[in-house]
Amino acid sequence: MSGQVHVVAIITPAKGKEARVGQLLTDLANKVKQNEKDVPKYELFEQYNGQGGNVFVVEEIYNNQAVYDAHFKTDYFTALGETIQKEGLLAAPLDIKTIKPIGGFASR
């Protein structure tokens, strides 16, 4: 679909904070599913075999730029950012990459 915004976000939890970050990200994913109807994909993954710690990866698709921009302004996304900062949950800054498909396939 033309105009879609594809994103991958990489979240690196601080040592010992993996469960808390996973809980918060799962809650965020559920809120996106419930409230953001123009987001056809918001899928959370956890790396399980990382050396030196695991990361979370979120694959996201927004129907257009306005929907993508609105996501960052939701109350629950703002609250998540405040919680992450207040509790010192990340070992590295949030890494959000806007990407575009150039090959392969999404499903069979």
Side-chain angles (χ1 to χ4, degrees):
M1 179 183 269
S2 181
Q4 285 188 324
V5 178
H6 294 251
V7 174
V8 62
I10 301 166
I11 302 99
T12 306
K15 188 170 181 70
K17 303 290 186 177
E18 296 87 356
R20 176 70 172 139
V21 172
Q23 172 191 31
L24 291 169
L25 293 174
T26 299
D27 184 52
L28 175 63
N30 290 334
K31 288 177 180 172
V32 171
K33 182 178 182 180
Q34 293 168 0
N35 298 300
E36 298 182 52
K37 302 303 179 200
D38 289 323
V39 180
K41 181 175 185 177
Y42 198 92
E43 192 169 9
L44 174 62
F45 298 86
E46 181 180 11
Q47 177 188 14
Y48 57 88
N49 62 349
Q51 294 180 357
N54 293 336
V55 299
F56 293 94
V57 177
V58 185
E59 291 183 5
E60 311 166 33
I61 299 175
Y62 300 86
N63 281 344
N64 57 54
Q65 186 67 44
V67 172
Y68 175 64
D69 293 342
H71 170 71
F72 293 102
K73 297 176 184 172
T74 60
D75 292 341
Y76 44 87
F77 189 87
T78 302
L80 173 64
E82 291 169 359
T83 299
I84 284 173
Q85 188 171 32
K86 184 175 81 172
E87 295 182 23
L89 297 176
L90 299 186
L94 180 62
D95 186 7
I96 300 174
K97 299 178 185 311
T98 304
I99 57 175
K100 63 182 178 182
I102 61 168
F105 57 92
S107 63
R108 290 190 189 246

